[in-house]
Amino acid sequence: MSKKVAIIGGGVAGIEAAKKLSEFGYEISLFEKDTELGGHVAKWDRLFPNQRRAQEVVDILQKDLEKIQVYKSANVQSINRENGSFSVNATGKSYPADAVVVATGFELFPAEKKEEYGYQIFDNVITSADLELMFKKFGKPQTVSGVNPSRVAIIHCVGSRDEKVNRPYCSKVCCVTAVKQAIEIKESLPNCEVFNFYMDLRLFGPGYEELYKKAQTMGVTFVRGRLSETSELEGGRILVKAEDTLSSKPLKMSVDMVVLMVGMSPNPENNELFNGVGLAENSDGFLQVNDYHTEPTKSQIEGIFIAGACSGPNNITDSINAARSAAMDAHKFLTRN
Amino acid sequence: MVNFGFSALEIASVDFDKTNRKLAEEIALLEPTFSTCISCGSCAGTCTASRFNGFSFRNMCHQIKLGNVTKAFVESEKCMLCGKCTLVCPRNVNTRNICRIVRKAANN
């Protein structure tokens, strides 16, 4: 009888880990709390750095899932460990497993916590995720009254590198997302002015710097300075205030729309889910891995492996690599003497 | 609104609702590398003239983007057009040509 592996989370990391372990011949149960697989990627319109459709990546990953037992709308409540094997409790039932891969991902930073930015107070302050939905629906941004904006401010580092909201870390992917979205606004509305407010630009991957240069050439203005506050003007326009730190002067401007680049926050469900089995969190609140450099997909507990953004902000490629690494680790564990 | 008898100095702040960015747009058309500056400052760091008159090519470009054209015109006169900054620019901005365009605009 083949051994069983439970995978918690059906985003890109979870799906990839499930497929790889299934190829090794294990019996896989994949638990997804949502009604569909694909996680955050399935909610995105296009991806950096090449602006391909996010759905394309989700479709590729979802191919050949026949051998995998997928449980959708399945909330995992707890994991128990007894005599070296596990039981996963989801929606009132208990599922036995010889190993567990945790791929519970992240949640987007709740932007309303930065109250001075006006999210959920002013209608035309939206998040990067809201803008992706807009691109999916209309192909271009539009204000709450249904008009196309003629000026947009994009705010970097919302819920990242900010000790005031207990998110001292960099979320890694928002800078390049901001540049990608700036380009997409320009492409869909060529006469729309776009201003990106940044502190440092942290674009680290292949093709990212080229994307930044492309945005500059298309006329996107990059202002070095963190947004201090927004206020609403007559007619729903937004006044943004910051410092232009390159000239050491306070700066203000009115815009039709503000887009907040929300960072990645630890999944709030992780705590109650994993405390029982003894998985710890790191100083940023994400799941602690056994060795950051040499064992980045092993947890501190034998038989539990960690893949994707549940251990910290990741892009899709890194999450998929982590999933494969976790699958290898699990395979090694399951074939031990 | 209540008048308290004092007001903010226009010159002390940047207001993107009032700035005139026409020159910036013109330069970007004539010399597209103008847009690709990343404000690293290597141009100003290598500048021989800056040791004598405080010229900063980076700051001149920044002033143009903020619409402070008069200030930029005065600055552009400090450049010796030696072209050292063109050699060090990591983004291949044609700095020397931009200086020439700004001077030309100043004289028109």
Side-chain angles (χ1 to χ4, degrees):
Chain A
M1 203 178 81
S2 61
K3 288 184 172 172
K4 295 185 172 73
V5 184
I7 315 246
I8 306 170
V12 290
I15 300 174
E16 182 65 17
K19 283 172 77 171
K20 280 286 165 286
L21 283 162
S22 168
E23 283 170 23
F24 287 144
Y26 299 108
E27 214 177 288
I28 310 295
S29 308
L30 175 60
F31 298 93
E32 168 55 46
K33 66 177 173 186
D34 222 332
T35 51
E36 290 303 323
L37 296 178
H40 289 275
V41 180
K43 299 186 178 87
W44 229 243
D45 182 44
R46 279 169 286 175
L47 305 175
F48 60 77
N50 52 5
Q51 288 171 277
R52 83 193 288 193
R53 297 278 162 197
Q55 194 56 45
E56 218 179 288
V57 170
V58 178
D59 288 345
I60 291 171
L61 286 170
Q62 289 208 74
K63 267 186 205 158
D64 311 319
L65 289 181
E66 296 82 17
K67 283 186 184 163
I68 296 160
Q69 183 63 52
V70 180
Y71 299 97
K72 290 176 188 171
S73 310
N75 261 312
V76 175
Q77 279 113 17
S78 65
I79 304 167
N80 296 322
R81 184 172 181 241
E82 241 172 85
N83 303 325
S85 65
F86 299 90
S87 61
V88 172
N89 304 306
T91 47
K93 276 190 202 159
S94 177
Y95 301 86
D98 299 293
V100 176
V101 176
V102 175
T104 49
F106 64 95
E107 74 157 6
L108 288 167
F109 173 72
E112 62 275 14
K113 287 196 180 200
K114 288 295 283 180
E115 208 175 318
E116 64 269 38
Y117 291 178
Y119 186 62
Q120 290 185 355
I121 301 172
F122 309 134
D123 291 337
N124 287 319
V125 177
I126 64 169
T127 67
S128 45
D130 298 335
L131 183 61
E132 288 293 329
L133 284 179
M134 243 176 230
F135 276 124
K136 264 193 163 185
K137 220 170 159 185
F138 314 112
K140 53 182 134 184
Q142 62 176 47
T143 64
V144 94
S145 44
V147 229
N148 297 134
S150 56
R151 205 186 232 186
V152 177
I154 294 179
I155 314 299
H156 293 229
C157 292
V158 178
S160 298
R161 307 174 69 198
D162 187 352
E163 295 186 12
K164 280 284 179 288
V165 288
N166 196 25
R167 266 74 169 184
Y169 53 86
C170 165
S171 290
K172 284 203 325 200
V173 296
C174 345
C175 272
V176 61
T177 302
V179 170
K180 180 200 78 107
Q181 292 190 338
I183 289 173
E184 286 166 358
I185 294 170
K186 274 284 189 191
E187 279 172 349
S188 59
L189 303 168
N191 292 325
C192 180
E193 285 183 287
V194 182
F195 292 81
N196 280 45
F197 288 79
Y198 69 98
M199 299 193 290
D200 307 294
L201 285 170
R202 297 184 160 189
L203 304 102
F204 59 93
Y208 296 8
E209 186 70 13
E210 289 83 346
L211 209 64
Y212 169 34
K213 196 168 176 178
K214 183 182 172 187
Q216 287 180 312
T217 314
M218 289 177 82
V220 175
T221 305
F222 288 83
V223 180
R224 199 185 76 182
R226 193 182 183 108
L227 175 68
S228 62
E229 60 183 23
T230 61
S231 47
E232 199 173 46
L233 301 167
E234 268 177 71
R237 298 194 88 216
I238 308 287
L239 182 73
V240 299
K241 285 182 182 170
E243 190 200 8
D244 175 39
T245 58
L246 287 175
S247 64
S248 306
K249 281 181 180 173
L251 176 153
K252 62 172 179 167
M253 65 191 300
S254 58
V255 297
D256 300 305
M257 183 183 271
V258 173
V259 185
L260 306 174
M261 290 294 133
V262 281
M264 292 187 180
S265 286
N267 192 334
E269 291 155 17
N270 278 353
N271 266 344
E272 50 177 315
L273 190 54
F274 300 123
N275 278 354
V277 75
L279 281 187
E281 56 184 53
N282 64 22
S283 57
D284 294 334
F286 292 96
L287 291 178
Q288 176 72 49
V289 297
N290 204 32
D291 184 313
Y292 175 75
H293 294 106
T294 62
E295 293 179 329
T297 51
K298 272 189 190 171
S299 78
Q300 290 172 320
I301 293 166
E302 261 212 334
I304 300 185
F305 305 91
I306 294 176
C310 57
S311 64
N314 255 354
N315 64 16
I316 293 170
T317 312
D318 288 349
S319 279
I320 286 180
N321 280 337
R324 290 179 184 173
S325 160
M328 287 297 288
D329 285 340
H331 177 57
K332 198 178 167 193
F333 169 76
L334 293 166
T335 50
R336 74 199 185 282
N337 292 318
Chain B
M1 212 164 80
V2 184
N3 185 356
F4 291 104
F6 54 85
S7 62
L9 272 175
E10 283 292 317
I11 199 171
S13 65
V14 180
D15 186 343
F16 268 127
D17 290 346
K18 291 179 185 160
T19 49
N20 181 359
R21 310 217 301 159
K22 204 164 157 261
L23 181 64
E25 283 160 18
E26 277 171 18
I27 298 173
L29 280 179
L30 292 167
E31 182 51 67
T33 60
F34 177 70
S35 306
T36 63
C37 170
I38 53 174
S39 303
C40 73
S42 55
C43 49
T46 198
C47 180
T48 310
S50 77
R51 315 282 166 203
F52 301 101
N53 58 23
F55 177 59
S56 162
F57 178 81
R58 178 196 64 76
N59 191 37
M60 181 189 76
C61 290
H62 193 62
Q63 294 304 328
I64 293 168
K65 286 170 188 170
L66 297 181
N68 297 331
V69 175
T70 324
K71 200 171 175 185
F73 286 162
V74 176
E75 280 295 301
S76 73
E77 288 305 318
K78 296 177 181 172
C79 171
M80 304 191 298
L81 292 175
C82 74
K84 258 177 94 184
C85 45
T86 313
L87 296 177
V88 296
C89 178
R91 276 295 185 91
N92 280 329
V93 175
N94 194 339
T95 49
R96 196 169 176 276
N97 191 32
I98 290 167
C99 251
R100 288 179 61 240
I101 296 169
V102 177
R103 284 189 184 184
K104 217 172 169 181
N107 292 328
N108 283 336

